[in-house]
Amino acid sequence: MKINYDKKMQESIENLNSTKEKLLLHVCCAPCSSAVLERLKPYFLTSVYFYNPNMDTEDEFNRRAKEAERFITKSGLAEECVIIPYRHEEYLSKINGLESEPEGGGRCERCFRLRLENAARYAKEHGFLWFTTTLTISPHKNADLLNELGKEIAETYGVNYLESDFKKRNGYLRSIELAKEYELYRQDYCGCEFSLRAKE
């Protein structure tokens, strides 16, 4: 039976205390973060965590990081933006041997795990009660896999993982609207050299 992760998120929100709790949001890019931050704003004190060693070049990494900072400053939807420096070798080491895997396969799973583990570790070390990721807003990402990984990693690090499927309730469409409104740089590939190669 397929799990409705959007419903699970709503249930988690209903069970929150009246005082807003701190949530660390792993962000892949400004456009994907836009609708997610808008949705989370009424319920959490959200900080953005930009850790994306999968980006194919440092220029692409810097462009997305600056857009994430610009959007947060302009929109006021997050408390802060934490940028973790570009460390592409971490990604390449993690996906070693899976370079030829198709999009959505084992390479992507390892990439998701790497980024979620780093987010969970940071959340634990800096007093966040919750963490989650913007990745479920994409129609091209496996929300079931992301939530399974998130829950597993949450148990390891002792932090709550907010289950989600942010594309639901027109989340993806809203992200497109907000990207246009804020004139955000919107890339047309996930970020890694392998996704770019597949697109081309």
Side-chain angles (χ1 to χ4, degrees), residues 24-180:
L24 188 71
L25 176 66
H26 166 262
V27 164
C28 56
C29 63
C32 286
S33 75
S34 60
V36 174
L37 286 167
E38 186 179 66
R39 189 167 289 180
L40 295 175
K41 176 72 172 175
Y43 312 108
F44 294 97
L45 296 173
T46 305
S47 291
V48 160
Y49 182 74
F50 191 91
Y51 169 73
N52 296 291
N54 57 309
M55 301 296 169
D56 58 339
T57 67
E58 192 162 7
D59 284 345
E60 179 68 17
F61 175 91
N62 288 334
R63 189 173 184 185
R64 294 194 196 194
K66 286 176 183 174
E67 279 295 84
E69 288 182 308
R70 184 174 73 83
F71 174 70
I72 288 160
T73 300
K74 205 168 179 181
S75 69
L77 291 174
E79 303 298 305
E80 62 178 334
C81 184
V82 178
I83 306 291
I84 303 302
Y86 183 61
R87 301 195 290 247
H88 195 51
E89 69 282 353
E90 290 182 4
Y91 166 73
L92 293 176
S93 174
K94 184 63 73 173
I95 59 93
N96 184 41
L98 299 175
E99 293 86 350
S100 299
E101 284 274 305
E103 281 296 288
R107 184 183 69 245
C108 294
E109 180 175 350
R110 285 198 190 171
C111 178
F112 297 158
R113 182 180 290 277
L114 173 65
R115 291 190 279 172
L116 287 171
E117 281 185 340
N118 274 269
R121 187 181 303 115
Y122 187 95
K124 182 66 175 180
E125 291 172 353
H126 292 83
F128 290 86
L129 294 179
W130 297 84
F131 81 104
T132 193
T133 179
T134 60
L135 291 169
T136 65
I137 201 167
S138 170
H140 306 294
K141 299 289 188 289
N142 185 335
D144 291 332
L145 172 61
L146 285 160
N147 282 290
E148 287 166 12
L149 289 171
K151 288 185 290 181
E152 175 193 327
I153 291 165
E155 286 188 18
T156 301
Y157 287 92
V159 186
N160 296 306
Y161 178 75
L162 184 67
E163 296 169 271
S164 70
D165 193 349
F166 287 114
K167 74 178 87 41
K168 300 295 186 183
R169 290 183 281 141
N170 294 318
Y172 180 67
L173 293 176
R174 180 61 179 154
S175 75
I176 294 173
E177 292 172 357
L178 287 167
K180 289 178 181 175

